[in-house]
Amino acid sequence: MQVLLLFSPAPRQVRQWKLTLPDKTTVGQALATADLFSDCAELKSVIPEALLLAVWGRRASLDYLLCDGDRLEILRPLRVDPMVARRERFKGQGIKSAGLFADRRVGAKAGY
């Protein structure tokens, strides 16, 4: 079976490997056969149990069974909470230029 392994060490950088694996292979076995820990300097000091993993964007554990054509992703931890980032963007835009209040008719109530 064919599996695509993806890792993004930094924003806008993606490394990918095509793996040919036997049927009924787990995520842990796929990581062991990929030997990406020697390929990527960013992952050399990381133990496999500490990685955040996903298959097609859904969280997966090391004992998850892979299927043919799966996309296995190694995730980076978030640096900023998405809600905090959204609040900061809204604060920079101002209340008059975003959301429901962007297109207001003259003399209309707020939000209409």
Side-chain angles (χ1 to χ4, degrees):
M1 82 176 157
Q2 296 283 328
V3 174
L4 188 63
L5 175 63
L6 294 153
F7 174 62
S8 176
R12 296 189 177 103
Q13 293 180 5
V14 178
R15 294 184 184 167
Q16 64 181 16
W17 296 267
K18 269 192 175 179
L19 306 176
T20 304
L21 303 168
D23 290 341
K24 296 186 180 178
T25 302
T26 64
V27 170
Q29 293 167 339
L31 290 176
T33 59
D35 197 32
L36 73 129
F37 296 102
S38 62
D39 290 349
C40 290
E42 298 88 358
L43 294 175
K44 283 186 180 179
S45 62
V46 177
I47 56 173
E49 291 80 18
L51 290 173
L52 296 173
L53 302 166
V55 175
W56 289 108
R58 293 186 180 254
R59 292 288 304 268
S61 61
L62 289 174
D63 57 349
Y64 179 85
L65 285 176
L66 293 169
C67 299
D68 187 32
D70 273 347
R71 174 185 162 130
L72 177 59
E73 304 157 2
I74 300 173
L75 307 174
R76 286 183 286 131
L78 293 175
R79 291 184 177 202
V80 178
D81 181 29
M83 288 302 293
V84 172
R86 183 174 182 269
R87 265 187 231 114
E88 293 297 321
R89 281 194 312 272
F90 187 79
K91 193 185 304 181
Q93 291 173 347
I95 197 164
K96 300 288 184 187
S97 64
L100 292 173
F101 309 106
D103 298 325
R104 256 180 76 183
R105 292 187 324 240
V106 177
K109 294 181 190 175
Y112 288 94

